[in-house]
Amino acid sequence: MGSRLGRQLGEWYQGGAVAQSLADRIRMLILDGRLTVGERVPSERALATEVGRSRATVTKAYETLADAGYLARVHGSGTRVALPHRSATRVPAPSDDVIDLTIASVGSTPGLHAATVRALDRLASLLGTPGYSLDGLADLRERIAARYTQRGLPTDPSQIVVTSGAMHALTLITAAFGERGRAAIVEQPTFPHAMDALRRVGMRLVPTPVTPEGWDLAHLAGRIRETRPGIVYTIADLHNPTGATMPDLERAKLAATARSVGALVIVDETCVELDVDRGWTPHPFASHGPAISIGSMSKLAWGGLRIGWIRADAPHVERLLAVRPSFDLGSPLLEQCIATELLDDMDGLLAHTKRRLTAGRASVRAGLATHLPGVVMPEVPGGLAAWVDLGSPMSTNLSLAAREHGLLLPPGPRFTATGVLDRFARIPITWEPEVMDAAMERLGMAWRDLRAGSTPRAGAYEELAVV
Ligand SMILES: Cc1ncc(COP(=O)(O)O)c(C=O)c1O
């Protein structure tokens, strides 16, 4: 079975000194978040056996990493992952010329300025109150609940907790319902920060595959029955990064299987409104069985708004509100007022995202055909990104090569629990065509560098930290 580190190493030998290559790859795994700070690494002897190299090689690699601050030897408890003090980490200055495809989010909706102006009046009416809102403003919760009801899931405003974005919602949910050492099912690939939140509370991630064609329900149900997880985390609608949507029948089966083992289903609906031309719409997951749903204004209106929400039943809401004060005492009122104004024009929000995603998707398709011939773009009916098959395990090296051309692209394994899927890359369809055209041109240059046999230069792995 091997160690977590061993399983994530992949094709690590890049030529030259073997110990240096091994150290470089382990450092990249640490900086990329695939090995976490405090995690124990295998003994030198065990890793040497696992990678089929001499113990002296592993000793040298570990020494290099310890000298640079990436490993700490803790007397009596082995060697653990660490991070050097900040001053020792090279963080390149942000440059206007860098295109950052680590972010997949549509730019702000055109009505945002006007909504902000209107929100000031709304805020004025609240100035006599203490201003703390642990569960969120009633007007906003009403609008969020109404949208669920409109989508076919009758919802009372008391079932909504307004948060500061979907990521904050996930943090609250994992803090309230996570259990150290217990299994959590995650899709592979999935949204990386969700995995980080589950790991942070000590949950053991159990992956189940998703492709642009969808889920493997037999695998998913089997893993749930075998591991009896505390949590099943799913992005069932226009999944990030594959764009897949789970059909109603599969939702019903998943809900029933999770319920049979007492697992809590968390449905991340951050992308639910990003339908471009899917041609069908499933019922909200929570209409098929018990689930906590998460939503956000980030992809619908603007990431800078930092307003999201949780929809849950009364006992779960009660628990969430009990946990929340140790994190924060409510989301900012002005932002809540702006979100309230924006949700009054749902059609406007949807029209904007659809326009942007349609244009972004076309430029990714054209860019791939021109600059990365042979790389096929899957069907992308909406969502945030195209999950592109590169044809061979080269995503990490492509990310590194892309950096040399001023393009930040997270490697495919960043979207997995175990560091696999190096054959894939996530390319956002959210950017304006001008940005995307330039990005695809840079990606093409990186692609040609790799094809011509260039290997990452010294220090390149370290810079991947910024991704
Ligand atoms: C699936 C998913 N969940 C959560 C988030 C975080 O959203 P927010 O900006 O609302 O915190 C994102 C952002 O990309 C996402 O794709």
Side-chain angles (χ1 to χ4, degrees), residues 28-45:
M28 185 273 287
L29 293 173
I30 296 170
L31 293 171
D32 197 31
R34 290 183 243 167
L35 294 173
T36 53
V37 172
E39 175 173 351
R40 196 170 173 163
V41 294
S43 69
E44 289 159 10
R45 189 199 306 267

Side-chain angles (χ1 to χ4, degrees), residues 51-270:
V51 299
R53 301 284 181 164
S54 73
R55 184 170 169 184
T57 297
V58 178
T59 304
K60 191 141 190 265
Y62 275 15
E63 269 169 15
T64 306
L65 290 163
D67 288 348
Y70 290 96
L71 289 180
R73 294 174 203 272
V74 184
H75 191 66
S77 90
T79 303
R80 290 180 185 269
V81 172
L83 277 178
H85 292 299
R86 210 163 166 69
S87 58
T89 313
R90 280 177 59 197
V91 179
S95 147
D96 285 348
D97 194 36
V98 170
I99 301 177
D100 186 355
L101 296 191
T102 63
I103 298 167
S105 200
V106 184
S108 70
T109 196
L112 185 61
H113 182 270
T116 305
V117 173
R118 289 196 305 277
L120 289 174
D121 285 340
R122 202 175 265 285
L123 184 73
S125 69
L126 297 167
L127 294 180
T129 71
Y132 290 95
S133 75
L134 202 57
D135 56 351
L137 289 179
D139 284 354
L140 178 55
R141 286 186 292 109
E142 260 165 37
R143 282 160 177 78
I144 295 167
R147 181 67 185 159
Y148 277 109
T149 305
Q150 196 184 4
R151 286 177 49 219
L153 179 62
T155 300
D156 188 83
S158 65
Q159 289 175 269
I160 304 294
V161 177
V162 175
T163 63
S164 303
M167 193 56 228
H168 177 226
L170 265 170
T171 307
L172 290 178
I173 293 168
T174 50
F177 305 109
E179 288 170 77
R180 186 161 293 280
R182 189 116 188 244
I185 304 273
V186 292
E187 287 146 354
Q188 186 150 280
T190 189
F191 175 54
H193 298 308
M195 292 191 285
D196 297 340
L198 289 160
R199 279 201 195 99
R200 184 181 290 280
V201 295
M203 296 204 77
R204 198 163 39 82
L205 303 189
V206 177
T208 188
V210 181
T211 67
E213 283 75 48
W215 283 253
D216 179 342
L217 240 277
H219 185 278
L220 177 52
R223 296 307 272 156
I224 293 175
R225 286 196 206 95
E226 268 163 47
T227 62
R228 305 184 77 80
I231 286 177
V232 177
Y233 170 76
T234 178
I235 309 171
D237 304 86
L238 298 163
H239 177 265
N240 177 13
T242 64
T245 294
M246 190 185 286
D248 278 308
L249 199 59
E250 296 185 7
R251 289 171 191 238
K253 281 190 185 150
L254 170 55
T257 313
R259 194 211 287 251
S260 72
V261 300
L264 178 66
V265 181
I266 302 175
V267 191
D268 188 334
E269 296 187 331
T270 301

